[in-house]
Amino acid sequence: MNDDRRNIFTIGHGDHDFASVAALLRGNGVGVIADVRSVPYSRHAPEFTKDELTRRTAEFNLAYRWLGDRLGGRSDDPALLRNGEPDWERIAASDRFAAGMTELEGLAASSTIALLCSELDPTHCHRATLIAPALESRGYEVHHILDNGDTIRHQPTLDLD
């Protein structure tokens, strides 16, 4: 696509520090972090808690928006679960997810964004199983930023192993 705003990135922070993640994001022209973790907290990486991210992103000239209440992969709504696990089809069809996608598209209209979650490997994360397919159906190209700095375009059968 010719329009860079039609490109959306994803990244997992894993055990990286924020400065390393910020460098990967800035290297790809990202201006806004859209946090899609249902619970924006990390016991293992406290600099990735919502309050700390709000402070840290400003230091790195990045904006931060938490969207995990609408685009997160863990729902407490039993109607969105199957045998206690997330039902991606039901979540994708929910009003809450639709509202999150609308907000995400609004952010993407004015800046290059990256979806942030904790899982390094996008194939093990709802960024790839839930959100990327929904974005692609709306005409976006989704690119996963890997922990080594490489990027790969999302594909439905993406397998990094």
Side-chain angles (χ1 to χ4, degrees):
M1 292 184 176
N2 295 333
D3 187 352
D4 285 343
R5 289 175 298 207
R6 300 302 291 180
N7 289 311
I8 293 180
F9 293 90
T10 83
I11 193 167
H13 68 73
D15 59 0
H16 291 289
D17 62 20
F18 182 77
S20 298
V21 170
L24 292 171
L25 295 173
R26 298 303 292 165
N28 285 285
V30 171
V32 177
I33 295 173
D35 187 348
V36 295
R37 297 173 298 161
S38 297
V39 179
Y41 170 81
S42 175
R43 183 176 60 238
H44 303 290
E47 63 190 312
F48 287 96
T49 62
K50 183 179 175 185
D51 291 341
E52 187 62 21
L53 277 173
T54 301
R55 286 189 289 278
R56 297 292 308 252
T57 52
E59 294 172 16
F60 286 84
N61 199 28
L62 293 164
Y64 173 77
R65 180 77 57 89
W66 179 61
L67 299 177
D69 56 340
R70 288 153 294 196
L71 297 178
R74 295 182 185 159
S75 178
D76 56 3
D77 181 350
L80 301 178
L81 303 174
R82 178 175 291 149
N83 299 323
E85 296 296 322
D87 185 318
W88 304 129
E89 289 180 22
R90 290 179 188 168
I91 292 171
S94 72
D95 291 340
R96 145 191 110 115
F97 187 80
M101 290 299 294
T102 297
E103 186 168 353
L104 193 60
E105 289 184 289
L107 292 171
S110 61
S111 185
T112 301
I113 66 171
L115 310 177
L116 172 76
C117 203
S118 59
E119 179 61 54
L120 282 176
D121 183 345
T123 65
H124 298 142
C125 183
H126 77 294
R127 300 186 320 263
T129 56
L130 175 64
I131 303 172
L135 286 167
E136 288 183 329
S137 74
R138 290 166 171 80
Y140 292 89
E141 286 185 11
V142 179
H143 303 269
H144 302 289
I145 302 171
L146 305 178
D147 66 332
N148 66 1
D150 291 344
T151 61
I152 55 170
R153 184 165 176 196
H154 177 75
Q155 297 179 16
T157 58
L158 185 67
D159 186 4
L160 300 178
D161 295 331

